[in-house]
Amino acid sequence: MGRKQAAGSTARLKQSSRPAPPRTSSGPPAAGQFEISALTQLEEFERCVELQRQVWGFTDLDLVPSALFVVAAHSGGQVFGACKGNEIIGFVMAL
């Protein structure tokens, strides 16, 4: 049986008290390396949609649309991309 919440209560996520590790990049990543960064622009979200097509072979019906990436980025969710140079080669989205 699952856990029940009391009526009117809200679940809250605990935030880590550890600071994020500092970025030490002094230039573009070396061959075979990539950088993780927050994605915030519509063009970046559209690239994430295209990656779904390329990597998983998703049809339009199966894709997470760019509008949902916008919602995630602007409503407390997170969107990060793995970037090699100026190219987004992977992503993660949490809503």
Side-chain angles (χ1 to χ4, degrees), residues 14-74:
K14 293 182 181 179
Q15 292 184 338
S16 173
S17 60
R18 290 181 283 170
R23 289 197 178 180
T24 58
S25 176
S26 60
Q33 294 183 338
F34 57 90
E35 183 175 307
I36 303 294
S37 59
L39 304 180
T40 59
Q41 303 299 311
L42 184 57
E43 297 82 24
E44 296 169 327
F45 302 149
E46 289 170 350
R47 173 64 182 140
C48 293
V49 173
E50 185 57 34
L51 275 172
Q52 294 173 77
R53 283 189 186 99
Q54 292 175 347
V55 174
W56 297 308
F58 282 178
T59 64
D60 286 347
L61 185 60
D62 296 324
L63 295 171
V64 174
S66 58
L68 194 53
F69 286 88
V70 173
V71 170
H74 293 283

